[in-house]
Amino acid sequence: MEEKKEEVRTENKEVRTENKMGTMPVKRLVVSMSLPMMVSMLVQALYNIADSYFVSWIAQDALAAVTLAFPMQNLMIAVASGTGVGINALLSRSLGEKKFKRADEAANTGIALAFFSYLVFLILGLTAARPFISFQTESSAIRDYGVTYTSICCCVSIGVFFQVTLERLLQSTGRTHLSMISQITGAVINTIFDPIMIFGLGPFPEMGIAGAAIATVFGQITASCIGVFLNVRYNKDIHLSLKSIFHPGLKTIKTIYSVGVPSILMISIGSIMTFTMNKLLGAFTDTATAVFGAYFKLQSFFFMPVLGINNGTVPILAYNYGARRKDRINETISFSLKLAVSILVVGLAIFELIPDRLLLIFHANEEMISIGVPALRIIAIHFPVAACSIVLSSTFQAFSKSIYSLIVSVSRQLVILLPAAWLLSLTGVLNNIWWAFPMAEVASITMCVIFFRKVYREVLDF
């Protein structure tokens, strides 16, 4: 039976070997792979802003509560996206090497890992939401808002894990335009249902911040259902099988996590950073915490497209690494750097010129504007430098050297940013804390360049 399957694969080999990542002109390939990702992540960023916009109508305490919940949400995204990076690298490289059976194993095992990850956060949602939020604030109003929001997002997080995994399968085979459909649909559904569920429009009851959480998980579940359909119907480079999903290969799991764990830890560090920053800022005023949350929502409008470039280039680099095409790898890196820097230069200009108007999106009062305007202007200084760090880190992921991305992320956020923010907080001047961000990014780009040169010499020696 197994021999017959292999015979069928041999007969269809020509179909599976003609992947655009090895044949399309590089600049057009980067655009075709990244543009759908950029558009979908831009829509996701708009959703993030819209979500906080509607929450801010409830109360400024509700906006602060969502900020306190962010580290837990980011941890879920870290596990989903980091595992996805491992799936992406293994699957794309396997296709480049024409090892189709291994590509199928990567896809099916990835779906199994998504389900196991959900079970972990279901338990966390039931047991850890209240102590997690309570540790960050002494305000009973903020605590109640935060516990409600966090519990729902964790206990019904199955959507986010399957959405990310299924989108990664599409991206890994070059079908980023299809993953865009999934992402955009989820974000649009989320945005539409936010005001409906929060304020009780039509037949729906008014649910406040619980409505915001329900709208979030509903959008994620919808996106994951679309992801299943798109992979089964259109992703012909892989073959999904329930039997394989329920019997994941231990070797494949190890390979996925050898790349994925450093990526998970790298993104998870963002949770530690925001958690600690919330504590530092809250010592000054809860409004500073709300400003920090507003900043993260606003910066995502520019960083999400750059991360789209990152997600679009990883499978290109991995595929051409497997195919031993150094010329295409070089051109991909160069062009991606130019695109990313251009986007964040625009972001820098907007943050410097109209920070007050950006904050008014969240119904900022005078105190929030007085704190937020200098904060946005100071932090945004590092945007163009961050663009270079993000693109260079994509090479570490594509070449299974994610440990370097982890080292950079740990150093930037834990070794440099948090100690610097703490020391600057001792001055008693809130505005001084924001300088920790550009200071940390200088260290980050320095390490990225050093590691990139090392990886380039060692990995691309062919």
Side-chain angles (χ1 to χ4, degrees):
M1 186 68 181
E2 192 66 28
E3 292 178 359
K4 289 184 178 180
K5 289 183 179 178
E6 289 300 321
E7 288 176 7
V8 172
R9 293 218 176 169
T10 303
E11 293 173 3
N12 294 327
K13 185 176 181 180
E14 187 174 347
V15 176
R16 300 220 14 203
T17 56
E18 292 299 322
N19 194 290
K20 67 180 182 181
M21 289 187 288
T23 58
M24 183 181 289
V26 170
K27 290 182 180 179
R28 184 151 59 96
L29 176 63
V30 170
V31 172
S32 69
M33 289 282 287
S34 300
L35 189 58
M37 297 294 300
M38 292 168 66
V39 171
S40 58
M41 297 193 82
L42 186 60
V43 171
Q44 183 67 30
L46 287 171
Y47 148 70
N48 287 337
I49 293 174
D51 189 48
S52 293
Y53 169 80
F54 291 120
V55 167
S56 69
W57 275 94
I58 302 172
Q60 185 171 294
D61 283 348
L63 180 60
V66 171
T67 302
L68 299 186
F70 177 77
M72 184 64 78
Q73 287 183 295
N74 188 68
L75 186 60
M76 287 189 286
I77 293 171
V79 173
S81 298
T83 305
V85 168
I87 297 168
N88 202 331
L90 176 59
L91 205 163
S92 295
R93 186 169 68 249
S94 298
L95 290 176
E97 295 171 344
K98 318 307 178 202
K99 296 179 179 179
F100 303 122
K101 183 178 180 180
R102 189 171 68 177
D104 289 347
E105 290 174 351
N108 288 289
T109 300
I111 293 175
L113 294 177
F115 180 72
F116 294 140
S117 299
Y118 159 64
L119 294 180
V120 172
F121 280 90
L122 170 62
I123 295 171
L124 287 176
L126 294 172
T127 61
R130 181 166 292 277
F132 172 76
I133 295 295
S134 298
F135 185 79
Q136 298 180 77
T137 182
E138 296 179 357
S139 168
S140 59
I142 294 176
R143 182 183 64 245
D144 291 342
Y145 282 134
V147 171
T148 298
Y149 188 86
T150 304
S151 298
I152 295 173
C153 287
C154 287
C155 292
V156 200
S157 60
I158 188 168
V160 69
F161 288 106
F162 276 88
Q163 176 186 352
V164 172
T165 299
L166 292 162
E167 286 170 357
R168 289 288 185 173
L169 297 185
L170 293 167
Q171 296 162 20
S172 299
T173 58
R175 294 171 173 84
T176 53
H177 63 291
L178 294 180
S179 69
M180 177 182 70
I181 295 173
S182 171
Q183 285 184 316
I184 289 179
T185 302
V188 169
I189 291 292
N190 200 334
T191 303
I192 291 173
F193 276 87
D194 255 333
I196 293 174
M197 308 298 277
I198 291 173
F199 305 116
L201 304 180
F204 296 92
E206 180 179 346
M207 290 186 282
I209 200 164
I214 291 171
T216 295
V217 298
F218 180 56
Q220 292 165 349
I221 291 172
T222 302
S224 64
C225 290
I226 292 173
V228 171
F229 170 76
L230 293 175
N231 273 284
V232 172
R233 180 69 177 82
Y234 298 107
N235 200 351
K236 301 303 182 184
D237 283 310
I238 58 174
H239 299 95
L240 300 180
S241 163
L242 286 176
K243 180 180 179 181
S244 298
I245 291 172
F246 286 118
H247 295 84
L250 293 179
K251 183 178 179 181
T252 303
I253 292 175
K254 181 179 178 181
T255 303
I256 289 173
Y257 278 132
S258 67
V259 177
V261 167
S263 296
I264 291 171
L265 294 176
M266 180 179 66
I267 303 172
S268 298
I269 288 166
S271 295
I272 299 173
M273 185 273 290
T274 52
F275 182 83
T276 308
M277 286 295 294
N278 286 339
K279 288 286 291 182
L280 282 175
L281 295 170
F284 284 86
T285 169
D286 288 333
T287 303
T289 303
V291 167
F292 189 51
Y295 158 72
F296 262 99
K297 301 295 183 178
L298 293 167
Q299 62 90 25
S300 69
F301 185 78
F302 301 99
F303 275 84
M304 284 292 197
V306 174
L307 292 174
I309 295 174
N310 183 352
N311 291 339
T313 57
V314 166
I316 298 174
L317 294 171
Y319 186 98
N320 285 284
Y321 170 52
R324 298 296 188 264
R325 292 294 305 274
K326 189 174 181 179
D327 57 326
R328 293 176 66 82
I329 291 172
N330 289 338
E331 192 174 354
T332 298
I333 296 170
S334 175
F335 187 60
S336 298
L337 277 170
K338 294 174 183 176
L339 285 178
V341 171
S342 298
I343 291 171
L344 286 185
V345 165
V346 173
L348 169 63
I350 292 175
F351 268 62
E352 296 297 333
L353 294 174
I354 55 170
D356 52 340
R357 296 183 184 179
L358 295 176
L359 291 167
L360 286 173
I361 294 173
F362 307 106
H363 302 91
N365 56 27
E366 290 185 8
E367 182 186 10
M368 188 171 175
I369 290 177
S370 66
I371 293 174
V373 167
L376 265 56
R377 283 177 171 161
I378 292 170
I379 298 176
I381 293 172
H382 81 277
F383 281 9
V385 180
C388 298
S389 298
I390 291 171
V391 172
L392 293 181
S393 293
S394 68
T395 63
F396 307 150
Q397 297 167 7
F399 303 149
S400 299
K401 298 291 183 178
S402 292
I403 186 64
Y404 293 134
S405 295
L406 175 61
I407 293 172
V408 170
S409 189
V410 168
S411 301
R412 176 167 56 86
Q413 299 188 73
L414 302 188
V415 179
I416 306 295
L417 194 152
L418 288 181
W422 175 72
L423 289 172
L424 291 169
S425 72
L426 298 180
T427 65
V429 180
L430 177 60
N431 285 343
N432 288 345
I433 296 179
W434 311 120
W435 285 102
F437 287 88
M439 290 169 61
E441 202 58 51
V442 171
S444 175
I445 189 61
T446 301
M447 288 183 287
C448 275
V449 170
I450 292 172
F451 288 140
F452 173 75
R453 294 179 65 181
K454 175 180 173 62
V455 169
Y456 191 89
R457 289 195 304 267
E458 293 178 355
V459 174
L460 301 181
D461 184 22
F462 50 76

